[in-house]
């Protein structure tokens, strides 16, 4: 028995030493940061800002690769099945938590197939109304919606997206029936909102702000727990009479499960330092995103809460995506 225990201990020690040595040489080549959305959107903008700074700090190129399709599932699955060597990372959004409940046919598990590195940012959306809507605040909106079920419509970037779920959570918590109109992208929904084809939208702040400043769209409330510096006079939905309403978009970086912990820790340390860069901070502020920069353990715990939270919203709303 003693020789067996000695061999087992030796094997474990060699494995740890090998992992540490591998991490000391990391990175020795280009790192891919996969983004599950098209170029030009907020996830892509933030990812490219981080990639540029991170590459400088690591002394290797960090290349952003946009891999679209299936609500992000194509990108998430591809990274989950990549070698666990730290050279392929995923720039994840709230969808990686939501998809666990939305897509039964997905071929990855958010909580089992990834090594969380860090949550990058978090930021609320803003509920905006076309100027023809009579409601000046959420209380008036709820009162009108209850008296006129399905008369008000809200647009989103597609079924199962964070903009859709924000509306379904509002329906559930406020006890109303806003009609959901899915689009093939948030910009298309926003165009129809400005034109009056739909009345409401849960929009990212950066896209809505020019219309708010021009008086074309009216901000009714923000979706997070606290008010935003960009819109200090706009209350949260919860403080506007819809208790326990809270949903935010967030970005994070994960590696394939099994990535050596020294590499995960190195990436975490360097990415958190990157987030402190003034030029990146300014870019994030303009997008309405707040820097988080959590530890791997904190991000892992956060993901578990988000997966459960999104599952509850999906179940309550009856959303089904094939």
């Amino acid at each position: 028995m003693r020789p067996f225990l000695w061999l087992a201990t030796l094997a474990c020690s060699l494995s740890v030493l090998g992992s540490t040595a591998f991490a000391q040489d990391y990175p020795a080549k280009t790192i891919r940061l996969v983004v599950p959305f098209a170029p030009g959107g907020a996830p892509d903008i933030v990812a490219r800002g981080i990639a540029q700074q991170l590459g400088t700090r690591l002394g290797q190129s960090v290349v952003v690769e946009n891999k679209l399709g299936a609500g992000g599932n194509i990108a998430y699955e591809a990274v989950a099945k990549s070698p666990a060597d730290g050279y392929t990372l995923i720039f994840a959004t709230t969808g990686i938590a939501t998809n666990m409940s939305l897509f039964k046919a997905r071929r990855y598990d958010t909580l089992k197939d990834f090594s969380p590195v860090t949550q990058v940012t978090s930021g609320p959306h803003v509920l905006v109304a076309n100027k023809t809507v009579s409601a000046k605040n959420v209380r008036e909106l709820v009162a009108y919606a209850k008296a006129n079920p399905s008369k008000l419509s809200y647009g989103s970037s597609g079924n199962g997206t964070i903009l859709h779920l924000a509306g379904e959570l509002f329906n559930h918590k406020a006890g109303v029936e806003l009609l959901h109109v899915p689009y093939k992208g948030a910009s298309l929904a926003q165009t129809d909102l400005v034109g009056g084809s739909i009345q409401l939208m849960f929009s990212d702040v950066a896209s809505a702000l020019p219309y708010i400043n021009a008086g074309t769209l009216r901000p009714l409330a923000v979706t997070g727990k606290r008010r935003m510096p960009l819109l200090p006079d706009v209350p949260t939905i919860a403080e506007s009479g819809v208790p326990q309403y809270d949903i935010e978009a967030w970005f994070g970086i994960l590696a394939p499960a099994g990535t050596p912990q020294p590499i995960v820790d190195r990436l975490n340390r360097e990415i958190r330092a990157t987030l402190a860069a003034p030029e990146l901070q300014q870019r994030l502020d303009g997008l309405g995103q707040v820097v988080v920069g959590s530890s791997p353990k904190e991000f892992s715990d956060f993901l578990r809460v988000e997966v459960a939270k999104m599952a509850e919203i999906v179940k309550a709303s009856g959303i089904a995506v094939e």
Side-chain angles (χ1 to χ4, degrees), residues 116-224:
V117 176
T118 187
Q119 182 185 351
V120 175
T121 65
S122 182
H125 287 91
V126 57
L127 171 58
V128 286
N130 180 278
K131 59 184 179 181
T132 60
V133 174
S134 61
K136 301 297 190 297
N137 53 55
V138 167
R139 285 184 173 84
E140 291 180 7
L141 177 68
V142 170
Y144 180 88
K146 285 184 175 181
N148 302 273
S150 299
K151 290 288 182 68
L152 293 174
S153 60
Y154 74 96
S156 82
S157 48
N159 287 318
T161 61
I162 185 68
L163 304 185
H164 178 197
L165 292 177
E168 292 303 323
L169 182 62
F170 186 83
N171 279 343
H172 177 60
K173 295 290 186 182
V176 298
E177 294 180 19
L178 302 180
L179 180 65
H180 174 233
V181 182
Y183 288 80
K184 293 182 178 180
S187 61
L188 297 175
Q190 194 166 67
T191 298
D192 272 6
L193 175 65
V194 172
S197 298
I198 55 176
Q199 291 78 50
L200 302 162
M201 184 175 176
F202 293 82
S203 172
D204 73 85
V205 177
S207 297
L209 201 56
Y211 297 100
I212 292 172
N213 291 337
T216 308
L217 297 178
R218 180 186 304 125
L220 300 182
V222 294
T223 65

